[in-house]
Amino acid sequence: MRVGIVLYPTFGGSGVLATELGKALAKKGHEIHFISYNQPARLDYFLEGIFFHEVIIPQYPLFEHAPYETALAGKIVEIVSSNQLEVLHVHYAIPHASAALLAKQILAESGIYIPVVTTLHGTDITLVGREASYEPVVSWSINNSDAVTAVSESLKADTYEHFKIRRDIHVIPNFIDFDRFNKQPKSHFKMAIAPHGEKIVVHTSNFRKVKRVGDVIRIFDLIQQQTPAKLLLIGDGPERSNIEKVCRELHVCDKVTFLGKQEAVEEILSVCDLFLLPSERESFGLSALEAMACEVPVICSNAGGLPEVVDHGINGYLADVGDVETMANYAIELLKNDQTLKEFGKQALEKAKQFSLDNIINEYLAVYESTLNVKL
Ligand code: GMT
């Protein structure tokens, strides 16, 4: 199949998932055309069957805000017709779904049929998509896509609750590639990070407010008062300065390392003991799944789709958003008991296997195929 994938090129979950899906489809022999304003972060090596098309946004003195959606729609028209694409898969509703539907209508005038599959990822529904000025466009785009998928039951329910939706939404959860994400022998990393056998706690995100990274520091502060520990923070984003301020206020800077954006996150996860994800909202929690695949148990909030990923008392613990003390108590209990910590790690891996790429990829292919026979 020849598939166009429209995505955000950043380290954010929707972009990561879209890139990994395209790579996996290409490995199965499909032809994949990524369309975005930058080279996707995880598209970092040559793969046969993969093409990247950059959307150039022409500037003009009249524009205070250059019209990305128009440039994207125009690029989609060009790429679909010149490469005879059969399906367009857009990740994140805003503005990808509406741009794709505009392109679909333009192409129809030349007799070209291109079905649009929209995948809802999270903040496009739970946060930014609900803004009054975006809501009608998001509702219309969902209702008019040829197929719509959401990454968790929770996100599907949120979509029906907050938008005027008259159609089915398929739940296809996030997936994990075990060829890449598995516990690797990296004991030299462990020695460098925690030379005195301290436990290693980790968090990865885009450091947006919704991730509550300040809570990560507060949880860690309580942990390190009870048991020797180090905290690794992977990623970067708008809250970075505020997070560093919390570290200074709690006097834990010497035990916290900001690693920035990392390519080989699986190598770091391999030496970690516990993953923290206290998010305000989280439609699925791909970063938690990546940790679990590397046998790292997760302590997280019970927001959104996280209870579909983490099983309380089996492969991690859940607590209410903002309940730093409860999360810290669970963490201390786990970190002080090596046997339980190891069991939780093994059970995390078992749970992660339910989200194996090999299973999930077929679900996406089935959705693509369901759109192929529907004509204008
Ligand atoms: O988490 C983010 O802020 C990035 C965001 C995105 O859209 O790029 O991630 C969302 O999509 C991921 C992949 O489907 C999900 O695993 C994340 O839970 C979701 N984030 C939120 O809902 C906050």
Side-chain angles (χ1 to χ4, degrees), residues 297 314-315 337-349:
I314 295 172
N315 42 48
N337 187 332
D338 282 341
Q339 182 59 30
T340 318
L341 189 61
K342 204 168 172 188
E343 271 167 32
F344 270 50
K346 293 284 173 211
Q347 284 153 197
L349 171 60

Side-chain angles (χ1 to χ4, degrees), residues 8 10-17 92 119-124 126 151 155 174 205-206 208 210-211 277 279 281-287 306:
Y8 281 106
T10 56
F11 276 95
S14 68
V16 166
L17 194 98
Y92 210 84
T119 290
L120 308 173
H121 279 275
T123 44
D124 45 355
T126 59
V151 301
L155 185 60
N174 285 179
S205 76
N206 47 26
R208 294 200 199 124
V210 72
K211 300 290 175 179
L277 192 62
S279 310
R281 298 166 202 269
E282 200 66 68
S283 65
F284 182 91
L286 180 59
S287 57
L306 284 170

Side-chain angles (χ1 to χ4, degrees), residues 140-350:
W140 180 84
S141 302
I142 293 173
N143 284 325
N144 287 281
S145 294
D146 296 272
V148 177
T149 76
V151 301
S152 63
E153 292 291 345
S154 153
L155 185 60
K156 176 178 171 175
D158 274 335
T159 310
Y160 283 119
E161 189 182 336
H162 298 290
F163 296 86
K164 300 175 191 79
I165 304 303
R166 314 178 296 269
R167 58 148 332 118
D168 280 352
I169 296 176
H170 308 258
V171 172
I172 304 185
N174 285 179
F175 56 78
I176 192 84
D177 180 359
F178 284 100
D179 285 345
R180 173 169 178 184
F181 284 89
N182 54 67
K183 193 173 177 72
Q184 301 168 14
K186 296 277 170 194
S187 51
H188 54 292
F189 273 22
K190 196 158 192 129
M191 278 302 291
I193 300 161
H196 307 294
E198 300 95 327
K199 289 290 191 288
I200 305 178
V201 180
V202 64
H203 166 83
T204 77
S205 76
N206 47 26
F207 291 23
R208 294 200 199 124
K209 264 204 165 75
V210 72
K211 300 290 175 179
R212 297 185 71 99
V213 188
D215 281 2
V216 172
I217 310 296
R218 290 180 197 99
I219 297 165
F220 175 74
D221 175 40
L222 296 173
I223 293 173
Q224 61 87 35
Q225 291 177 29
Q226 297 295 321
T227 189
K230 292 285 179 91
L231 174 64
L232 300 181
L233 293 170
I234 304 173
D236 213 332
E239 285 299 295
R240 169 79 179 258
S241 304
N242 290 334
I243 299 159
E244 291 196 33
K245 190 165 162 247
V246 179
C247 287
R248 284 193 296 274
E249 282 164 5
L250 295 173
H251 307 289
V252 290
C253 296
D254 57 328
K255 292 177 182 157
V256 178
T257 307
F258 287 82
L259 290 172
K261 292 175 184 166
Q262 292 285 325
E263 299 289 342
V265 66
E266 66 280 8
E267 294 185 358
I268 302 165
L269 289 170
S270 289
V271 301
C272 292
D273 297 291
L274 191 63
F275 186 84
L276 299 179
L277 192 62
S279 310
E280 180 94 36
R281 298 166 202 269
E282 200 66 68
S283 65
F284 182 91
L286 180 59
S287 57
L289 179 59
E290 291 179 343
M292 290 164 81
C294 297
E295 300 179 35
V296 184
V298 174
I299 291 183
C300 58
S301 68
N302 51 18
L306 284 170
E308 296 170 49
V309 184
V310 177
D311 301 308
H312 185 74
I314 295 172
N315 42 48
Y317 289 105
L318 299 132
D320 290 340
V321 173
D323 190 349
V324 165
E325 231 168 78
T326 302
M327 291 189 210
N329 288 339
Y330 285 137
I332 293 160
E333 188 186 313
L334 259 184
L335 293 172
K336 281 190 163 176
N337 187 332
D338 282 341
Q339 182 59 30
T340 318
L341 189 61
K342 204 168 172 188
E343 271 167 32
F344 270 50
K346 293 284 173 211
Q347 284 153 197
L349 171 60
E350 283 314 304

